[in-house]
Amino acid sequence: MEGKEGGRKTAEYEAVVRAGRDLKRLQQAHAHLVVTGCHRSRALLTKLLTLSCAAGSIAYTRRLFRSVSDPDAFLFNSLVKASSKFGFSHDTIHFYRRMLHSRIAPSTYTFTSVIKACADISDLRLGMLVQSHVFVSGYVSDSFVQAALVTFYAKSRNPRVARKVFDEMPQRSIVAWNSMISGYEQNGLAREAVEVFNKMRESGVEPDSATFVTVLSACSQLGSLHLGCWLHECIVGSGITMNVFLATSLVNMFSRCGDVGKARAVFDSMNEGNVVLWTAMISGYGMHGYGVEAMEVFRRMKARGVVPNSVTFVVVLSACAHAGLIDEGRVVFANMKQEYGVVPSVEHHVCMVDMFGRGGLLNEAYKYVKGLRPEELVPAVWTAMLGACKMHKNFDIGVEAAEHLINAEPENPGHYVLLSNMYALAGRMDRVESVRKVMIRRGLKKQVGYSTIDVDNRSYLFSMGDKSHPETDKIYCYLDELMWKCKDAGYAPVLELAMHELEEEEMEYALRYHSEKLAVAFGLMKTGHGVTLRVMKNLRICEDCHSAIKFISVVTSREIIVRDKIRFHHFREGSCSCLDYW
């Protein structure tokens, strides 16, 4: 009799497994269990619960769970793990609380899953409470739990605490190292991420594919080409298979570090690629202003049968905007809706306004903005409109756009600066002063700008008027001479950008020692003729520096690449790839 019972349960278990993640088939299997009387088997119910969770139906999973009269440790652990794995974080915490209420002791798997759930919803208070449970339960030295805590604190924007947990680990697995590197990278601490990566290699732990993906992202933040090339060599030397994730990370890194040629070489080396890889290559061309090349890759992508997604259309439209390909952009936007059924999002609207504005079609851009629904009129739309007005000197619409930005985000100092610049360009210095008074009254300050440049495999940082460098006197002297040569070639400082109450000579001085000019001067001093300079700035490049570097590229016969907050600027022979709009 027992043999028949066991055989029936085995058959029913196989039927549940065959249903897989198909909710309808799982419900049919459950109904069959009820009919056959096997619905009280905790092993069958546990499998059914985890599969329904994997199928994405947490509501059905909850109903099933309520039907279990006496859940055991295995069922609870399976349910906690599955709900956490498939993104039902709040339910993970609910099941965990029910587990504690049932006086069932948590295991390593319980804690790692619950801590992951806390990380996913960034619930710091709850995560710290779970950590106290870890201490009480005796799992404080468990390497898997510790790695989960590192990830939790990193995702909760507490990298300092994450590092403390990491440093206290007696043994660190590859998972722990990756968690710490990723934690720093996600919090914008790229240098610290690279530092931990180096320590990892010094400790004899071999990086895996996930390690390199994260470190390449950190390198992209830094904009350091020499570091990126070294990482590429490390990947090749490690013998790790170049999968699509690594290739995409390399394409992104080389593009964001200023070498789109190397990005294309990696892209071409892949026989097959998914939509993310193709989109990364299109984006790389777009951010450098190479719209024609971006469109070529886009056409090849469609010809290969790779279906573009919403993000793909954003980067294609952005590439068209930066390259002035307005007719092509119109066609792409129409095909996006008609051929692929992609509903335009805010990002697509921003690209269209940007594209019309860059092309000088201000009325069409303004009409497009006015045709958007209220929920679509986000600050980014007005920022694109304002940029177009600034380029084409349209004061009236520009002031309206800036005022919309201030109303939407009154605590963002950047919007006040943009409005002040619009007034300054229009010669309305009384309005400039009133904007500055509002900023002072609200305690708003401009974000501090800085620029970095890599020379001889070292990174150097400069801020405006910076005198911290040991060769400051030489740098300033070199820059002064350089600017005199630029003046002889036709350069004139954009004095409207400096504070209006200064005398003309003082305004020119205030503009001369901006961080990007100092970085460029240092790079020219320290590198030989023909070497391309690569500078990274944390803010948008100002109009005066943009004009000055165009002239510097002429008088020094150098190519200078500046990556600012928005895009890349390739200065060559007196012109810039952005066509003087950014």
Side-chain angles (χ1 to χ4, degrees):
M1 190 73 180
E2 288 181 4
K4 289 182 180 179
E5 182 72 17
R8 186 164 69 248
K9 285 185 178 178
T10 300
E12 304 299 347
Y13 186 87
E14 290 174 352
V16 171
V17 171
R18 280 198 302 273
R21 298 184 182 184
D22 187 316
L23 182 60
K24 187 175 181 180
R25 292 181 64 188
L26 284 169
Q27 290 172 331
Q28 291 171 346
H30 183 211
H32 185 64
L33 292 181
V34 174
V35 171
T36 58
C38 295
H39 61 288
R40 293 185 181 85
S41 167
R42 281 191 301 216
L44 287 170
L45 284 171
T46 299
K47 192 63 181 177
L48 196 63
L49 280 163
T50 55
L51 283 174
S52 64
C53 195
S57 180
I58 195 64
Y60 184 61
T61 305
R62 290 193 211 105
R63 288 202 301 273
L64 273 175
F65 177 69
R66 285 195 292 270
S67 71
V68 182
S69 58
D70 187 23
D72 59 6
F74 181 69
L75 187 147
F76 267 120
N77 275 318
S78 299
L79 195 50
V80 166
K81 184 178 179 181
S83 58
S84 177
K85 179 181 178 181
F86 294 106
F88 302 111
S89 304
H90 291 286
D91 292 276
T92 302
I93 293 159
H94 168 72
F95 296 136
Y96 173 65
R97 284 173 171 153
R98 287 289 305 272
M99 185 178 185
L100 296 180
H101 183 72
S102 301
R103 298 185 181 280
I104 293 177
S107 67
T108 299
Y109 301 107
T110 315
F111 283 125
T112 53
S113 298
V114 175
I115 292 168
K116 177 185 179 297
C118 292
D120 289 342
I121 60 175
S122 299
D123 193 326
L124 182 61
R125 184 193 62 80
L126 184 60
M128 293 174 72
L129 179 63
V130 174
Q131 187 179 16
S132 69
H133 295 174
V134 169
F135 275 94
V136 171
S137 303
Y139 287 97
V140 68
S141 298
D142 184 274
S143 60
F144 294 101
V145 174
Q146 288 173 323
L149 285 169
V150 170
T151 301
F152 161 70
Y153 280 113
K155 284 191 173 182
S156 300
R157 299 191 178 280
N158 279 274
R160 182 183 59 80
V161 181
R163 184 59 182 265
K164 184 174 183 294
V165 174
F166 178 79
D167 287 342
E168 290 174 353
M169 294 179 69
Q171 289 186 323
R172 303 183 187 102
S173 65
I174 183 77
V175 175
W177 284 101
N178 285 350
S179 296
M180 192 65 248
I181 295 168
S182 177
Y184 275 136
E185 186 273 329
Q186 289 169 2
N187 283 279
L189 300 170
R191 295 190 187 281
E192 289 82 353
V194 175
E195 171 206 327
V196 174
F197 172 71
N198 288 331
K199 287 188 176 182
M200 174 185 181
R201 297 178 74 245
E202 290 168 6
S203 300
V205 179
E206 289 297 323
D208 60 10
S209 179
T211 315
F212 282 114
V213 166
T214 305
V215 181
L216 286 168
S217 180
C219 182
S220 296
Q221 287 183 32
L222 294 171
S224 177
L225 183 60
H226 78 83
L227 176 61
C229 291
W230 175 72
L231 287 170
H232 191 196
E233 291 173 3
C234 287
I235 293 168
V236 174
S238 68
I240 293 175
T241 302
M242 184 61 71
N243 59 37
V244 71
F245 302 106
L246 264 180
T248 302
S249 297
L250 281 165
V251 168
N252 280 325
M253 181 275 295
F254 280 127
S255 296
R256 291 172 186 171
C257 289
D259 197 329
V260 73
K262 280 188 169 63
R264 183 60 187 259
V266 172
F267 176 78
D268 288 341
S269 71
M270 298 296 292
N271 293 324
E272 294 184 10
N274 60 15
V275 64
V276 181
L277 177 60
W278 284 88
T279 301
M281 191 64 250
I282 296 168
S283 176
Y285 277 131
M287 72 175 72
H288 285 269
Y290 301 140
V292 173
E293 290 82 356
M295 286 299 300
E296 177 258 326
V297 175
F298 180 61
R299 293 188 189 98
R300 279 185 57 201
M301 173 186 177
K302 293 201 298 181
R304 293 279 185 91
V306 180
V307 179
N309 59 22
S310 179
V311 177
T312 311
F313 285 109
V314 170
V315 300
V316 174
L317 289 171
S318 178
C320 290
H322 284 299
L325 304 175
I326 297 175
D327 291 338
E328 289 86 342
R330 291 184 200 271
V331 172
V332 168
F333 188 70
N335 287 346
M336 177 186 84
K337 296 187 293 182
Q338 296 165 9
E339 187 177 347
Y340 295 96
V342 175
V343 178
S345 67
V346 166
E347 289 79 8
H348 300 108
H349 294 316
V350 171
C351 288
M352 293 303 288
V353 174
D354 191 29
M355 183 177 73
F356 291 139
R358 286 176 188 273
L361 304 176
L362 282 182
N363 290 334
E364 189 164 354
Y366 188 67
K367 183 179 178 181
Y368 190 99
V369 169
K370 288 299 184 180
L372 296 176
R373 298 190 303 273
E375 64 271 19
E376 295 172 329
L377 285 171
V378 297
V381 170
W382 287 113
T383 300
M385 190 72 246
L386 179 57
C389 293
K390 183 172 177 285
M391 177 186 185
H392 298 290
K393 305 294 188 293
N394 189 308
F395 176 74
D396 293 330
I397 300 177
V399 169
E400 180 187 345
E403 289 176 344
H404 275 290
L405 286 170
I406 288 173
N407 289 332
E409 296 178 337
E411 301 305 313
N412 187 332
H415 300 333
Y416 295 87
V417 173
L418 288 172
L419 179 58
S420 177
N421 287 344
M422 284 301 299
Y423 284 134
L425 290 171
R428 297 295 302 274
M429 305 317 294
D430 57 326
R431 294 291 185 91
V432 172
E433 181 62 23
S434 65
V435 172
R436 291 184 63 211
K437 285 180 178 177
V438 172
M439 291 184 70
I440 292 169
R441 188 169 66 249
R442 294 189 176 184
L444 303 175
K445 294 182 179 179
K446 289 177 63 176
Q447 186 179 353
V448 177
Y450 64 83
S451 298
T452 59
I453 184 168
D454 288 348
V455 176
D456 293 332
N457 296 336
R458 281 190 61 190
S459 189
Y460 297 87
L461 184 146
F462 295 90
S463 57
M464 187 176 79
D466 194 351
K467 295 187 177 181
S468 61
H469 196 280
E471 295 185 74
T472 290
D473 291 341
K474 290 182 180 179
I475 297 169
Y476 274 59
C477 183
Y478 184 92
L479 180 57
D480 288 340
E481 292 177 2
L482 187 61
M483 297 316 297
W484 278 113
K485 290 179 182 177
C486 289
K487 277 189 170 185
D488 289 340
Y491 161 73
V494 186
L495 300 180
E496 294 90 347
L497 298 177
M499 293 182 292
H500 70 278
E501 64 268 24
L502 296 177
E503 296 297 329
E504 183 173 332
E505 187 177 340
E506 292 174 311
M507 286 194 284
E508 184 177 340
Y509 182 89
L511 290 170
R512 177 169 299 181
Y513 303 114
H514 279 190
S515 64
E516 52 266 62
K517 291 193 186 83
L518 291 171
V520 168
F522 178 73
L524 291 168
M525 279 174 55
K526 295 294 181 179
T527 59
H529 183 74
V531 175
T532 299
L533 300 185
R534 288 180 170 84
V535 174
M536 188 181 83
K537 183 170 182 177
N538 67 322
L539 305 177
R540 286 190 179 192
I541 186 172
C542 82
E543 191 172 341
D544 181 71
C545 287
H546 193 270
S547 173
I549 297 174
K550 284 198 293 183
F551 281 97
I552 291 172
S553 71
V554 173
V555 300
T556 62
S557 299
R558 292 282 199 105
E559 180 179 1
I560 302 168
I561 301 174
V562 178
R563 167 184 156 185
D564 71 5
K565 185 180 180 181
I566 303 299
R567 57 167 300 161
F568 278 88
H569 301 263
H570 291 251
F571 297 95
R572 189 185 297 115
E573 297 178 354
S575 63
C576 178
S577 59
C578 77
L579 304 178
D580 296 340
Y581 178 70
W582 62 98

